[in-house]
Amino acid sequence: MSFKDILNSGKFVVTAEVGPPKGTDIKEMIHHIELLKGKVDALNVTDNQSAVMRICSMAVCRICLDHGVEPILQMTCRDRNRIGLQSDLLGASVLNIKNVLCMTGDHVLAGDHKQAKPVYDLESVQLLGVVNSLNNGKDMSGNDLRGATDFFQGAVVTPEANPLEPQLIKFEKKVKAGAKFFQSQAIYDINRFKEFMKYARRFPVKMLAGIVVLKSAGMANFINNNVPGIRVPQELIDELKAAGKEKALDTGLNIAARHIKQLKDENICDGVHIMAIGMEDKVPIIMERAGLL
Amino acid sequence: MIITKKRELQELMENLKNYKSFFLIGCSECASLCGTGNQEAIDSLTESLKAEGKEVTGGFVPKTGCQVLGTKVELKPFKEALDKSDCILVMSCGAGTQAAVEIFEDKPVYPTNDSLFLGNMTRFQMFDERCSLCGKCILDKTGGICPVTACPKGILNGPCGGCKDGKCEVSPDIKCAWVRIYERMKRLDKLQELCDTVLEAKDWSQNIKPRTLATRPEKKEEKKK
Ligand code: SF4
Ligand code: SF4
């Protein structure tokens, strides 16, 4: 069953993430793909994440397919204009890549080529519209395509954004532009996320909650001080502190598993997106502890 | 106005090492407000050049340095000093420099400034970029605040995920353009309008360089032909 069908079937889905490496040595990446195969429902492939140049997302999506894992092509608007984006979407389509996650993309100043010219000919809302249009057999200029695409398109949302209201206005524009599913930025406060879901449930879209494992109290504090749109509640920081250095990571895995279980048991959202950030081998452990394997 | 910034003397001298005598042209408009092309700037550069062992045959601040014909006429009385110089230095923007290039076909012309952006003066000699002359203005849709310019990504439909506590992902010193637009639309009681407007991708064909414009009626006709 495709990711779209699984999601629409009502099963609680799990997606994870694979970050293409910088360079042509893909042994470790393939190991991670193999590790997650058969466990997660789909794998996001990041697009030059944090504006750091790496193997392109499309090639790695195809590698995922070759290894029997369904990929979600992350596509940012930072590095390609509307011609490049549409052309890559057609290319992805003929490579049998079915899911695309439309994002604006971190600014080049965040990455390792700070002197690059950022493109941003389009942004996330407009890119969603383009995917919709390609699905309907037309390009952005209204020209007919010989063969339409059949993408299942999604987008991202930040439920803990501050201020929140402008972010919600954008979320609604993404829904209007044709987003079918959303993967959220990492969330740690389930009660607040429930509130967000009360609002998001008014729209005909599937919502996957973002899960990022906390490795230590230090990491949690760092996130609170530096990462936009994520808020770790003090109780969790205390819990990690109480666990001590040795057990911090294990506690972090337990917190992630506990959150996933609650999201599923209480039917709060439609699935989770686990961003392991270098700890791909821990994803199956989290899933096991959450009772998903 | 056009915001300009003085080049470091060292960089300037690298260009000028093969010349001995100079005529300096400023501008009484933007470059004067920026302090890069007024009489004081000319005097100060004259001092620096002399200290480097160069000769300055004269200097002048024309009314509008980018206006080719006007500047040409204003420079007529300086013919002798201009003839004595073997290089012209222009202390305004890139447009002013190229006006001089058009006027002095046979003389080398060098800029002393870098031209940065179209700016608003917020305080004395403090400037902000608020419009990037995109060719098709959307201020009517965004509460009068330009996201093409104020958002480093030029996003047209709301804040990105990098907005932190109302500040921009790119620099904590700037407020997120989309938070500003949101707040203004809220104050004007126009949030519904903001929600309902999905802005389409910009038409960059309005921005193909070099752009020209003639608003004189007879010239308009000529252009059409
Ligand atoms: S949209 Fe912005 S850049 Fe374009 S003309 Fe208006 S203010 Fe200038
Ligand atoms: S934080 Fe706001 S101003 Fe900065 S890039 Fe994102 S949307 Fe644009």
Side-chain angles (χ1 to χ4, degrees):
Chain A
M1 244 203 299
S2 68
F3 171 63
K4 175 182 172 182
D5 291 340
I6 298 173
L7 201 48
N8 287 333
S9 77
K11 177 185 174 263
F12 190 82
V13 307
V14 179
T15 57
E17 202 166 87
V18 46
K22 187 194 257 311
T24 55
D25 180 352
I26 54 173
K27 278 197 288 298
E28 193 184 337
M29 182 189 80
I30 293 198
H31 170 71
H32 288 148
I33 295 172
E34 288 287 344
L35 195 79
L36 298 171
K37 175 181 175 174
K39 300 190 176 77
V40 299
D41 297 297
L43 262 185
N44 282 42
V45 182
T46 53
D47 176 9
N48 295 299
Q49 195 173 18
S50 308
V52 172
M53 189 283 293
R54 310 153 200 258
I55 299 181
C56 72
S57 176
M58 197 186 333
V60 173
C61 281
R62 185 58 238 182
I63 292 173
C64 287
L65 283 169
D66 292 343
H67 284 80
V69 179
E70 180 157 355
I72 298 171
L73 177 77
Q74 293 196 183
M75 197 168 225
T76 72
C77 300
R78 177 190 55 238
D79 309 318
R80 288 158 288 187
N81 70 7
R82 63 192 77 183
I83 301 175
L85 289 166
Q86 292 179 97
S87 161
D88 278 1
L89 282 165
L90 294 181
S93 180
V94 298
L95 290 176
N96 238 345
I97 296 161
K98 294 283 183 214
N99 314 298
V100 51
L101 189 76
C102 300
M103 310 193 285
T104 299
D106 294 331
H107 198 275
V108 295
L109 286 176
D112 66 350
H113 286 66
K114 295 192 190 344
Q115 291 171 332
K117 181 172 186 181
V119 180
Y120 302 117
D121 185 21
L122 309 179
E123 30 93 316
S124 53
V125 174
Q126 294 159 350
L127 182 59
L128 282 161
V130 169
V131 173
N132 220 1
S133 160
L134 296 180
N135 277 352
N136 289 316
K138 296 239 186 248
D139 72 9
M140 249 187 103
S141 297
N143 300 308
D144 288 326
L145 301 176
R146 188 187 296 177
T149 59
D150 183 21
F151 284 116
F152 184 51
Q153 68 271 41
V156 295
V157 64
T158 309
E160 291 277 6
N162 176 36
L164 182 59
E165 225 190 329
Q167 175 74 212
L168 297 184
I169 292 176
K170 186 157 190 192
F171 167 75
E172 290 181 30
K173 288 189 186 185
K174 287 177 175 178
V175 175
K176 256 189 242 166
K180 303 283 188 280
F181 71 95
F182 281 84
Q183 290 174 319
S184 87
Q185 177 57 288
I187 53 122
Y188 291 100
D189 187 327
I190 304 295
N191 285 330
R192 281 169 63 104
F193 185 66
K194 269 190 203 167
E195 285 303 308
F196 169 76
M197 281 310 297
K198 257 191 220 156
Y199 154 84
R201 283 285 189 225
R202 304 209 309 254
F203 303 93
V205 293
K206 301 288 181 183
M207 183 67 64
L208 277 59
I211 302 288
V212 171
V213 178
L214 295 169
K215 293 183 212 175
S216 63
M219 174 183 171
N221 283 321
F222 178 86
I223 288 179
N224 279 347
N225 293 328
N226 298 291
V227 184
I230 311 186
R231 213 183 50 87
V232 186
Q234 191 56 43
E235 307 95 77
L236 294 186
I237 301 179
D238 294 342
E239 190 178 338
L240 288 160
K241 240 188 232 150
K245 265 217 166 82
E246 301 273 280
K247 288 243 172 82
L249 174 59
D250 199 59
T251 305
L253 296 173
N254 281 338
I255 292 170
R258 189 171 80 212
H259 285 171
I260 295 172
K261 191 164 181 330
Q262 189 184 355
L263 291 166
K264 179 172 186 272
D265 290 351
E266 295 182 23
N267 197 14
I268 297 169
C269 56
D270 306 294
V272 286
H273 176 56
I274 306 172
M275 292 165 271
I277 322 174
M279 295 195 298
E280 286 77 3
D281 53 323
K282 300 285 188 285
V283 174
I285 301 174
I286 300 168
M287 291 180 71
E288 210 158 50
R289 291 188 191 172
L292 290 168
L293 283 181
Chain B
M1 76 180 93
I2 306 301
I3 310 308
T4 47
K5 192 169 161 254
K6 236 186 250 172
R7 283 195 168 169
E8 293 298 325
L9 188 66
Q10 209 186 344
E11 186 185 358
L12 197 61
M13 292 316 293
E14 189 50 37
N15 279 336
L16 308 183
K17 59 181 178 223
N18 297 326
Y19 304 107
K20 285 198 293 289
S21 53
F22 303 91
F23 189 91
L24 277 41
I25 300 176
C27 172
S28 83
E29 310 264 11
C30 318
S32 278
L33 286 166
C34 292
T36 54
N38 46 359
Q39 190 59 49
E40 278 152 34
I42 290 189
D43 293 344
S44 140
L45 183 60
T46 302
E47 287 305 306
S48 307
L49 287 168
K50 281 183 178 161
E52 297 278 332
K54 305 284 185 188
E55 192 193 333
V56 176
T57 66
F60 177 63
V61 180
K63 168 83 182 59
T64 310
C66 58
Q67 200 203 331
V68 183
L69 291 178
T71 303
K72 192 173 181 176
V73 171
E74 281 183 277
L75 283 170
K76 276 210 171 117
F78 299 91
K79 186 168 183 317
E80 204 176 311
L82 282 159
D83 284 348
K84 266 199 279 173
S85 69
D86 53 14
C87 177
I88 309 273
L89 296 182
V90 180
M91 304 176 66
S92 57
C93 64
T97 304
Q98 293 180 77
V101 166
E102 189 172 334
I103 297 168
F104 302 101
E105 286 179 322
D106 304 318
K107 245 188 220 305
V109 174
Y110 282 94
T112 66
N113 298 329
D114 285 309
S115 304
L116 304 181
F117 53 89
L118 166 64
N120 286 58
M121 180 143 99
T122 53
R123 299 247 155 75
F124 177 65
Q125 290 186 1
M126 284 175 69
F127 308 99
D128 270 359
E129 184 177 22
R130 296 190 185 168
C131 167
S132 34
L133 308 173
C134 73
K136 186 74 196 133
C137 196
I138 56 163
L139 286 176
D140 44 340
K141 309 270 187 339
T142 57
I145 294 167
C146 171
V148 178
T149 309
C151 166
K153 301 179 188 172
I155 299 178
L156 300 187
N157 286 298
C160 72
C163 169
K164 184 167 168 56
D165 304 329
K167 297 289 162 47
C168 174
E169 145 181 329
V170 168
S171 160
D173 298 335
I174 47 178
K175 195 162 171 177
C176 169
W178 275 99
V179 171
R180 289 173 53 208
I181 292 170
Y182 166 79
E183 285 172 353
R184 176 150 171 90
M185 291 300 259
K186 188 170 177 179
R187 193 170 303 141
L188 300 179
D189 204 15
K190 286 187 170 187
L191 278 184
Q192 197 52 47
E193 186 184 318
L194 190 67
C195 298
D196 293 341
T197 320
V198 174
L199 284 169
E200 284 183 13
K202 279 198 77 68
D203 173 5
W204 289 111
S205 70
Q206 302 299 316
N207 196 263
I208 291 171
K209 290 166 176 108
R211 292 179 275 183
T212 56
L213 177 70
T215 45
R216 259 158 65 177
E218 71 271 31
K219 288 283 169 190
K220 255 198 228 165
E221 283 308 307
E222 256 173 52
K223 283 234 154 184
K224 261 188 217 153
K225 282 177 213 160

